[in-house]
Amino acid sequence: MTKLAVIYYSTYGTNYQMAEIAADAARAAGAEVRLLKVAETAPEAVVNSQDAWKALVEKTAHIPVATPEDMEWADAYLFSAPTRFGGAPSQMRAFIDTLGGLWFAGKLANKGVSVMTSSQSPHAGQEATTLGLYTTFMHWGCIIVAPGFTDESVAKAGGNPYGYAHTQGAEFTADVTAAIGHQARRLVEISGKIRG
Ligand SMILES: Cc1cc2nc3c(=O)[nH]c(=O)nc-3n(C[C@H](O)[C@H](O)[C@H](O)COP(=O)(O)O)c2cc1C
């Protein structure tokens, strides 16, 4: 059974929703899944100053915070994070920056990895965010499992072969669920083959 860590950061709920869809699809494909958020690093006063942000923190209080132990446990990683000024949010980078010890010990190597993102505008950083995270995962020695155009759902849900990218305001249609599900299932399948 492939062990998948679905690790997300979300301020307003989009990436949380995407991560949940991916986790459900991976479980249905037979994977053992941990759905995890990265720790919020914004000051409490800032979080509480926005109703939607505060509400998501409360709604997701039951989701465990990702730890280095989760990274060692998993055979595969699916990261989901919004675009922030053309790149990944500092909350996600802060978690990544705690993993130097595991990286040094070779414990992040040879795991399958895939990335999803979201942004306000379709051409304001989706690919940059996804590719930027993949750059880090190449440092770790992960095996990138991008969806490519290996299923018709990819083209139907925006046509991003690097990883599903959600544009704010778009509906979570059946096509979107199918594209996220395909990406998650493909990651589980290929990571199982890598593990052998
Ligand atoms: C500080 C900040 C920076 C952002 N930068 C971008 C950006 O560069 N491009 C873009 O299209 N959207 C940008 N956005 C919009 C976010 O990508 C959008 O809120 C996010 O995709 C929502 O995901 P979430 O609901 O999981 O938090 C930014 C939002 C914030 C708060």
Side-chain angles (χ1 to χ4, degrees), residues 10-15 82-86 118-121 124 168:
S10 188
T11 303
Y12 304 115
T14 311
N15 285 268
T83 292
R84 291 274 182 271
F85 303 124
S118 72
S119 73
Q120 188 66 43
S121 312
Q168 295 311 127

Side-chain angles (χ1 to χ4, degrees), residues 73-122:
W73 166 85
D75 304 313
Y77 311 129
L78 179 51
F79 285 88
S80 191
T83 292
R84 291 274 182 271
F85 303 124
S90 56
Q91 290 87 346
M92 183 59 80
R93 298 293 334 174
F95 172 64
I96 285 170
D97 288 353
T98 66
L99 302 175
L102 279 186
W103 161 77
F104 190 71
K107 305 273 185 171
L108 302 172
N110 305 328
K111 317 250 185 170
V113 69
S114 206
V115 170
M116 304 188 291
T117 189
S118 72
S119 73
Q120 188 66 43
S121 312

